[in-house]
Amino acid sequence: MRAVVVYESMYGNTHLIAEAIGAGLRTAFDVRVVPVSQANPDSIADASLVVVGGPTHAHGMSRGSTRKAAVRAAAEPAGGLTVEPDALGPGLRDWFGWLGDRAVPAAAFDTRMHGPAALTGRASKGVTRLLREHGFDVVAEPESFLVTKQDRLEPHEQDRARDWGARLAAGITGASGAAPPEDSETR
């Protein structure tokens, strides 16, 4: 079985979380982690699970204007941030715009500032809505991974993302009747 993690990232935090989720999914799946700029219909064509995530900008999913603002903020001397190579490329909204319908299990995640979601917003809620609109079977509640006010991941968030990915994998393989990798080798 194959899982694909599609992510959008500005400063690398969401990229790190996507890689950690992919590591957790590898307990049961062959995994490909793909930046949204390289995700095309063929990227997810034979996927048994699609996990999609991005940073929270202005209380929701990024837009072209918020991606430009993030790049400008990184250029400020006090910022100390490095921008991902494809930060100004297409975002998740663009990807969903040409995606088409898919009847595949899916889950959504985001990165956001630490604090109540009512104050920070959650991109994963919009991602979940769009996944459903495109026919995906959303199999988990949207998950948020937290960053500091300095735009760095909170401690242990990568571990939490890896664990979340492993739980997703166990839920999918358990639901499909497939044996976990350890069991399949002993049969």
Side-chain angles (χ1 to χ4, degrees):
M1 291 193 324
R2 188 169 154 235
V4 179
V5 180
V6 177
Y7 71 90
E8 175 183 340
S9 188
M10 295 288 103
Y11 304 138
N13 295 316
T14 312
H15 183 172
L16 291 171
I17 293 298
E19 292 289 350
I21 291 168
L25 292 170
R26 282 187 182 91
T27 59
F29 289 92
D30 175 33
V31 178
R32 184 163 180 232
V33 179
V34 184
V36 68
S37 64
Q38 296 175 22
N40 58 47
D42 292 339
S43 302
I44 63 170
D46 63 347
S48 302
L49 173 66
V50 176
V51 180
V52 182
T56 300
H57 284 197
H59 295 279
M61 294 171 59
S62 77
R63 293 178 165 75
S65 61
T66 63
R67 288 194 300 276
K68 287 177 186 174
V71 169
R72 281 193 306 272
E76 293 177 11
L81 299 169
T82 303
V83 177
E84 290 274 291
D86 55 357
L88 288 176
L92 289 175
R93 287 177 192 267
D94 304 308
W95 183 70
F96 277 112
W98 55 257
L99 183 60
D101 290 346
R102 307 287 174 167
V104 175
F109 71 96
D110 63 37
T111 52
R112 66 179 176 87
M113 296 288 264
H114 191 103
L119 298 177
T120 65
R122 292 181 68 190
S124 58
K125 292 197 105 164
V127 172
T128 298
R129 180 182 50 77
L130 288 170
L131 286 167
R132 285 189 174 118
E133 286 178 11
H134 285 273
F136 287 89
D137 176 23
V138 177
V139 296
E141 289 296 315
E143 188 65 40
S144 291
F145 299 95
L146 305 176
V147 298
T148 67
K149 290 182 181 178
Q150 293 77 33
D151 284 309
R152 306 282 188 240
L153 284 174
E154 291 274 349
H156 310 293
E157 288 300 270
Q158 285 176 274
D159 293 335
R160 202 166 66 75
R162 192 173 306 105
D163 293 345
W164 186 71
R167 285 193 310 274
L168 279 174
I172 296 295
T173 57
S176 70
E182 305 83 39
D183 294 342
S184 64
E185 292 178 2
T186 59
R187 293 183 183 192

